[in-house]
Amino acid sequence: MMSVDEVTWRISSLSDAWIERLRVQFNWVPKVQYTEQYDPQATFKPGFSVFEGQVAEYDDAWKAPLLAKAESIIAHKLSYFDLQEHHLESPINWHKDHSAGIYSNLGHILSVNYRDFKNNGDCKLVWEPNRHHQMVVLARAYKVTGELKYAQAAVQQITHWLDQNPYGKGMNWRSPLELSIRLISWVWTIDLIKDSGLFVGDFKDRLLESVFLHCRDVSGKFSQGTSANNHLVGEAAGVYIAARYFTMLKDAPQWQQKSKAVLENEIQAQTFNDGCTKEHAFSYQFFVFQFYLFTALAGKWSEDDFSPTYWQTLKKLSQFIAIIAEGGEHYPMLGDQDDGYVIDLGDHVHNINALSDIVSHFYDDEIFAQGKKQPSESAFWLFNNRQQSTAEELTKEQELSSFAFTDSGYYLLQAGKVSEGNQASILVDAAELGYTAIAAHGHADALSCVVRINRNDLFVDTGTYDYFSFPQWRNHFRKTQAHNTVEIDGLDQSVMTGPFMWESHAQASCCKWLPSELGGELVAEHNGYQRLGSPVTHQRSIKLNVLEKQINITDELKTQGQHDVVIYFHFSEDCQNIEINNGVCHLLLGNDQITIKLPERSSVELITGVESEDKQTPSLGWLSRGYHQKVAITTLAISAHISEDRAFTTSISWGA
């Protein structure tokens, strides 16, 4: 699936890696060089400041959670993925998958296979504490309280990391993206504690040496070809921010120029005109948004602003997120989701209030005013004493209206108000599988829909759960049956050939889009089952009428062959008292009684996830809203055998 140019690049990169291995082995790695003006004994002067606000304006409501988290970090306890307040040992073990209890390889990075769970653990579980998000938490706690212990803890933990992670060895030097995120964490940490007097002497010298090695390593390995997705964005972001901050490094101007050019190009290349990221993974939309945002701010603060086109595309990215979020409390999880974020400023990466608050400091748009309910801690750290929000407070409830993201292929059929009990939001996936030939983070979810009634999830995308630890679960959550769509003959619409690779890509398209004030109609189809010996075309029609509080989903299958059909609908964890009587499914969702009239001439089954001692064998009836986290839900499976064209209609109605 790779081009000749990419194959050539990968061979060249491998050759460079072997040369670098020899440099590491014989200690021939280049040493850091500084500008002529740099005086190591003088007061540290970075290229910009990450915070120029007034600590007195810090909201007391944020303080207790911040300090509690900081105290846990001092005690070497972190919470990430399936681990809560987990002790990372004393001293901290930076090379361990603390969930599986597996130690990763400490040899040269060429000998570290990050996908080898058996010998190295889950790389994400190893990498997460090595991204050093926790150092920013300690630095924020120091800034708020002035208590030196928090700054000292950050310095001690970073120093220990430098001791235990020599250049070029172990999992923590394996991925350029991880190096870049760590660089950004270091910039925010050092800047927030720089007035403590601790960033001096040997610690400063060693950190600057490591920053040099980080930037040198990453800038020489910028991803290309099928790997040039969010990884390339993150790699360039880390190098750019470090280069603009640590201006005393002699190579900083070269790194800055190269990384900025990458970012200016990639924000256009990887973003549809409607604002959706081309990876078709909604969680990564937040991830790359943060990378683009923090680099833009670093440029603005260091008088190296990005282009107007860059800022305009950043606005589109954030508008896409805010519009998709309108209809519910949970953000839909289409495509892969791995909980990635860039900096811990006090708000979860998927917090729509925080995102809306942040972008409202740049963009005057009603969608951000709707999303902002209260001031966020993230916006405080970024903008206090710098610039004001332009968002006006909305005092009146807004009625939902439909929206078509025609470039990326997503459609929001929605209308109504919660106060009137008639609000419904239906997100339909008529998009391509994913980005580039391998579609690494895509799922086999053509024509799947996420349905929200009065802001409560009815039908959900079931998430991702895992990348490396449980390969069968990795495949399960990407399969067609894990989504609210139709499966033919037990096969997926698209054909996966690896944990991050697809061979055959289902192509979806919108046939009819007729939105109205009461909802409207969408018709879309895909060709994923045209590859079968007896081809099948799946066309889905969705009609919404909020006046009647009615949704009709009609799945029309066109074929001349014999096929087994299953239509899957995955109920959210908020659905209660689910039962089926005489072809009708009844359940309670919030204050609404939901009635689902099931298709005729079909058999139905409710499948609820049940914990098993066999951790590797997946099953239906599970929802994962976070990496290595899952809860049991109920899946509705509607089955039939067809031998000719057939239409299946599922009718949903609701009311208090």
Side-chain angles (χ1 to χ4, degrees):
M1 295 184 179
M2 298 178 186
S3 67
V4 173
D5 286 345
E6 182 176 355
V7 173
T8 302
W9 167 70
R10 289 184 181 276
I11 293 172
S12 175
S13 297
L14 184 59
S15 175
D16 291 342
W18 276 102
I19 294 172
E20 194 70 7
R21 179 173 187 168
L22 290 174
R23 289 197 182 106
V24 171
Q25 183 177 348
F26 294 103
N27 198 25
W28 293 338
V29 178
K31 300 297 182 182
V32 61
Q33 293 184 14
Y34 300 102
T35 61
E36 293 181 0
Q37 298 81 14
Y38 176 62
D39 179 1
Q41 305 304 318
T43 302
F44 176 68
K45 294 181 179 179
F48 62 88
S49 174
V50 303
F51 178 69
E52 294 184 351
Q54 301 296 320
V55 174
E57 296 179 18
Y58 186 78
D59 194 322
D60 284 342
W62 304 327
K63 191 171 183 179
L66 170 62
L67 298 188
K69 192 171 184 178
E71 292 294 338
S72 290
I73 294 168
I74 289 177
H76 300 173
K77 294 180 180 180
L78 295 186
S79 297
Y80 55 97
F81 307 144
D82 58 325
L83 302 178
Q84 295 299 314
E85 290 287 300
H86 188 84
H87 190 248
L88 300 189
E89 303 177 11
S90 293
I92 295 173
N93 190 323
W94 300 104
H95 307 286
K96 183 178 179 181
D97 172 348
H98 288 272
S99 179
I102 299 174
Y103 298 87
S104 61
N105 189 337
L106 298 182
H108 186 271
I109 59 173
L110 280 175
S111 66
V112 179
N113 181 358
Y114 68 91
R115 293 188 179 183
D116 182 356
F117 172 76
K118 181 178 179 181
N119 292 306
N120 290 310
D122 189 320
C123 60
K124 282 189 60 61
L125 270 295
V126 178
W127 283 335
E128 190 67 16
N130 288 279
R131 289 182 169 187
H132 285 187
H133 297 309
Q134 67 272 27
M135 308 305 176
V136 181
V137 176
L138 291 170
R140 286 164 42 222
Y142 164 74
K143 200 70 179 178
V144 168
T145 65
E147 293 186 33
L148 200 59
K149 68 175 182 178
Y150 297 115
Q152 289 172 330
V155 171
Q156 290 165 0
Q157 292 190 20
I158 293 174
T159 300
H160 184 252
W161 188 93
L162 296 172
D163 292 340
Q164 298 298 311
N165 290 273
Y167 170 70
K169 295 184 179 181
M171 183 80 82
N172 297 322
W173 285 96
R174 182 65 177 79
S175 168
L177 177 63
E178 300 305 313
L179 274 63
S180 289
I181 295 174
R182 189 158 54 242
L183 279 172
I184 298 172
S185 293
W186 284 354
V187 166
W188 253 257
T189 300
I190 295 305
D191 202 67
L192 289 172
I193 70 168
K194 66 179 183 290
D195 64 359
S196 69
L198 297 176
F199 190 54
V200 294
D202 183 62
F203 172 63
K204 181 174 73 170
D205 293 343
R206 292 187 66 194
L207 187 85
L208 291 176
E209 179 81 32
S210 192
V211 168
F212 162 76
L213 291 171
H214 276 65
C215 289
R216 173 182 171 274
D217 193 70
V218 178
S219 63
K221 297 178 179 177
F222 281 160
S223 296
Q224 295 185 30
T226 54
S227 297
N229 49 16
N230 69 85
H231 281 242
L232 178 56
V233 174
E235 291 158 7
V239 171
Y240 179 81
I241 290 171
R244 293 307 297 168
Y245 187 78
F246 296 107
T247 54
M248 66 290 303
L249 300 178
K250 187 177 180 180
D251 295 315
Q254 169 191 328
W255 295 329
Q256 173 268 330
Q257 185 177 14
K258 181 179 180 180
S259 56
K260 186 178 184 182
V262 169
L263 289 160
E264 287 277 10
N265 181 74
E266 293 307 312
I267 197 172
Q268 306 303 322
Q270 295 194 38
T271 309
F272 287 105
N273 192 52
D274 59 25
C276 179
T277 175
K278 292 184 179 180
E279 289 198 88
H280 295 282
F282 281 22
S283 176
Y284 282 87
Q285 181 96 12
F286 289 89
F287 197 36
V288 296
F289 164 78
Q290 287 193 333
F291 280 128
Y292 291 134
L293 171 71
F294 294 132
T295 50
L297 291 176
K300 188 179 182 71
W301 295 338
S302 63
E303 299 182 355
D304 183 43
D305 208 352
F306 280 69
S307 69
T309 303
Y310 183 102
W311 281 99
Q312 183 60 29
T313 307
L314 184 62
K315 179 181 181 180
K316 292 178 182 178
L317 277 160
S318 50
Q319 285 174 322
F320 181 91
I321 293 173
I323 293 170
I324 293 292
E326 269 190 298
E329 298 298 330
H330 296 290
Y331 200 79
M333 299 181 293
L334 277 65
D336 273 347
Q337 174 168 306
D338 73 350
D339 301 352
Y341 64 99
V342 182
I343 306 175
D344 187 338
L345 294 179
D347 297 295
H348 191 278
V349 63
H350 297 162
N351 186 315
I352 300 300
N353 175 77
L355 180 139
S356 298
D357 189 13
I358 288 169
V359 296
S360 70
H361 284 73
F362 299 108
Y363 310 118
D364 185 9
D365 191 297
E366 186 175 284
I367 190 64
F368 304 133
Q370 289 175 215
K372 179 186 175 182
K373 309 302 181 185
Q374 59 188 10
S376 68
E377 185 176 0
S378 296
F380 168 83
W381 288 110
L382 295 174
F383 303 116
N384 183 262
N385 211 34
R386 266 190 160 127
Q387 61 190 95
Q388 298 295 315
S389 171
T390 61
E392 295 183 8
E393 183 177 351
L394 296 180
T395 57
K396 189 169 69 171
E397 180 187 4
Q398 303 298 303
E399 186 167 359
L400 290 187
S401 58
S402 296
F403 200 96
F405 296 95
T406 54
D407 294 310
S408 58
Y410 297 100
Y411 295 83
L412 268 174
L413 194 63
Q414 56 185 20
K417 293 181 178 180
V418 173
S419 62
E420 297 177 6
N422 67 352
Q423 189 181 94
S425 175
I426 309 164
L427 173 63
V428 184
D429 182 346
E432 61 188 359
L433 181 63
Y435 189 48
T436 76
I438 64 173
H441 292 297
H443 288 192
D445 55 1
L447 307 193
S448 182
C449 59
V450 173
V451 178
R452 298 170 284 188
I453 303 294
N454 291 320
R455 294 190 61 80
N456 295 310
D457 284 355
L458 176 62
F459 298 153
V460 294
D461 186 293
T462 58
T464 300
Y465 183 63
D466 180 67
Y467 281 173
F468 304 105
S469 300
F470 308 102
Q472 289 87 349
W473 282 101
R474 168 65 176 150
N475 290 343
H476 166 76
F477 277 101
R478 296 193 297 158
K479 292 174 70 64
T480 296
Q481 66 177 219
H483 300 87
N484 302 307
T485 188
V486 178
E487 177 192 67
I488 305 294
D489 296 336
L491 301 173
D492 295 320
Q493 305 157 336
S494 299
V495 180
M496 63 180 80
T497 54
F500 295 93
M501 185 177 296
W502 296 84
E503 182 181 87
S504 173
H505 297 199
Q507 303 293 324
S509 60
C510 177
C511 308
K512 181 190 292 186
W513 173 243
L514 295 173
S516 70
E517 290 184 0
L518 298 178
E521 179 182 8
L522 166 74
V523 180
E525 65 182 21
H526 77 84
N527 65 359
Y529 292 118
Q530 287 293 307
R531 71 180 192 275
L532 302 183
S534 174
V536 180
T537 296
H538 174 205
Q539 185 176 92
R540 170 167 276 185
S541 167
I542 301 180
K543 296 180 180 179
L544 169 66
N545 186 318
V546 297
L547 183 63
E548 298 177 358
K549 298 182 180 180
Q550 182 86 23
I551 300 169
N552 287 330
I553 301 175
T554 299
D555 292 299
E556 185 174 354
L557 303 174
K558 301 176 183 178
T559 186
Q560 299 302 313
Q562 303 273 340
H563 296 286
D564 292 318
V565 174
V566 185
I567 307 170
Y568 292 99
F569 292 111
H570 301 273
F571 294 118
S572 80
E573 69 272 52
D574 297 326
C575 295
Q576 305 293 323
N577 304 330
I578 305 170
E579 58 182 26
I580 295 176
N581 292 308
N582 299 319
V584 179
C585 180
H586 301 275
L587 61 95
L588 179 65
L589 178 63
N591 296 321
D592 291 303
Q593 292 287 341
I594 308 293
T595 300
I596 305 175
K597 185 178 180 182
L598 304 173
E600 298 178 350
R601 294 187 295 143
S602 61
S603 60
V604 296
E605 182 182 9
L606 294 175
I607 306 166
T608 301
V610 178
E611 280 288 359
S612 168
E613 292 183 4
D614 181 2
K615 301 299 182 184
Q616 290 290 349
T617 303
S619 64
L620 288 166
W622 292 99
L623 169 66
S624 174
R625 292 201 184 273
Y627 196 77
H628 280 195
Q629 301 172 55
K630 67 183 192 296
V631 296
I633 58 170
T634 298
T635 294
L636 171 64
I638 305 168
S639 305
H641 182 80
I642 63 172
S643 57
E644 59 185 2
D645 293 357
R646 175 94 178 267
F648 299 83
T649 298
T650 306
S651 298
I652 305 164
S653 59
W654 72 94

